[in-house]
Amino acid sequence: MRRKLAAGNWKMNGLKANLSEIEALATAHPAPGSDILLCPPATLIAPMAQAASGTALAIGGQDCHAAASGAHTGDIAAAMLADAGASHVILGHSERRADHDEHNEDVRAKANAALAAGLTCVICVGESEAQRDASNTLDIIGGQLSGSIPDGVTGHSLVVAYEPIWAIGTGRTPTLEQIGEVHDFIRMRLERRFGTGVGRSTRLLYGGSVKPGNAAEIFAVSNVDGALVGGASLKAADFSAIITALEAAPPQG
Ligand code: PEP
């Protein structure tokens, strides 16, 4: 059975005053039946890791540079994330692909850097609305998987998040059948490329407008091992309700 994972992406939100949310989350889930990951902005990684010390909560970054160090003003190397207390890093989020013109080969290079630093990569894939309307979803996802995920990953060092771009922050979600179709496809592609060991042990997250009100039905879909949650991860009460729904969902794997 795959252990479930609830991951929160705070994006460019959060000040030191918001660290109380992580304390509330840790108190609500002292011995969780799922993994819980929070990815705050870079400025909060170290204090959040300190606040999470001794709890079951893991901390992650939202991006890293492909180089180990050097003349890259404003960027952060994977080893710096690890040094600040991160165990994971989100890579290839659609907002980075759009805002920073990141392509699959960039994501793959960053993932290699993250793996070298001992981080687990949460690699995001997802289609635009126009691509879905043109029935290109699986082609797009297939290309993102083969282009963005490096060789040499394991079920521990890789998590894949399926995030339809049109569902992020919009309150819209695919149908449960559409989510299941994409997750089954991702599982099949991972098994084909990496073998059944890695393919079956890699956690697949759904992301895009997951809320306390729709979490349970999404978590019942085949091959959904958890969620990558944006807006609803900012408040401990909402994220906690999603974690509770995840822990009540049927086992997968
Ligand atoms: C995200 O950006 O990863 C995300 C899923 O956002 P939201 O939950 O707000 O749609």
Side-chain angles (χ1 to χ4, degrees):
M1 289 301 148
R2 290 181 294 274
R3 188 166 161 85
K4 294 169 188 296
L5 170 61
N9 173 15
W10 277 21
K11 312 191 187 196
M12 199 173 70
N13 298 292
L15 300 171
K16 279 186 280 183
N18 303 107
L19 290 172
S20 55
E21 297 299 331
I22 193 163
E23 283 148 22
L25 204 58
T27 304
H29 301 276
S34 62
D35 289 341
I36 304 174
L37 168 68
L38 273 171
C39 300
T43 49
L44 289 185
I45 291 174
M48 197 179 266
Q50 200 171 7
S53 164
T55 77
L57 310 189
I59 306 302
Q62 299 175 10
D63 178 51
C64 70
H65 198 279
S69 63
H72 302 289
T73 302
D75 279 313
I76 298 180
M80 295 170 181
L81 296 177
D83 189 50
S87 53
H88 293 64
V89 61
I90 298 171
L91 294 172
H93 191 284
S94 59
E95 288 155 12
R96 298 244 13 132
R97 290 180 189 258
D99 294 356
H100 300 272
D101 198 28
E102 285 187 8
H103 298 275
N104 292 331
E105 55 272 23
D106 304 309
V107 178
R108 189 186 190 108
K110 289 173 181 224
N112 272 318
L115 294 174
L119 298 175
T120 293
C121 303
V122 181
I123 295 185
C124 302
V125 297
E127 82 286 2
S128 68
E129 187 158 28
Q131 289 164 338
R132 176 161 283 281
D133 288 347
S135 302
N136 284 335
T137 297
L138 297 186
D139 278 352
I140 294 295
I141 303 292
Q144 291 172 334
L145 291 173
S146 50
S148 303
I149 301 176
D151 295 330
V153 291
T154 66
H156 173 74
S157 63
L158 175 68
V159 173
V160 176
Y162 167 53
E163 298 208 307
I165 299 168
W166 52 274
I168 294 177
T170 59
R172 299 166 58 206
T173 54
T175 66
L176 300 179
E177 291 71 22
Q178 288 170 330
I179 294 173
E181 179 189 35
V182 175
H183 279 242
D184 289 351
F185 173 77
I186 294 172
R187 178 77 60 213
M188 181 271 290
R189 291 297 290 261
L190 292 177
E191 287 184 17
R192 203 165 79 185
R193 177 169 167 198
F194 296 107
T196 50
V198 173
R200 288 187 191 157
S201 57
T202 299
R203 270 99 52 96
L204 308 185
L205 309 184
Y206 168 77
S209 295
V210 176
K211 308 281 178 214
N214 62 14
E217 60 180 14
I218 292 172
F219 295 148
V221 173
S222 126
N223 279 314
V224 175
D225 302 309
L228 180 54
V229 183
S233 71
L234 292 170
K235 289 279 163 241
D238 287 344
F239 197 36
S240 179
I242 290 170
I243 294 165
T244 301
L246 182 60
E247 294 184 350
Q252 303 262 3

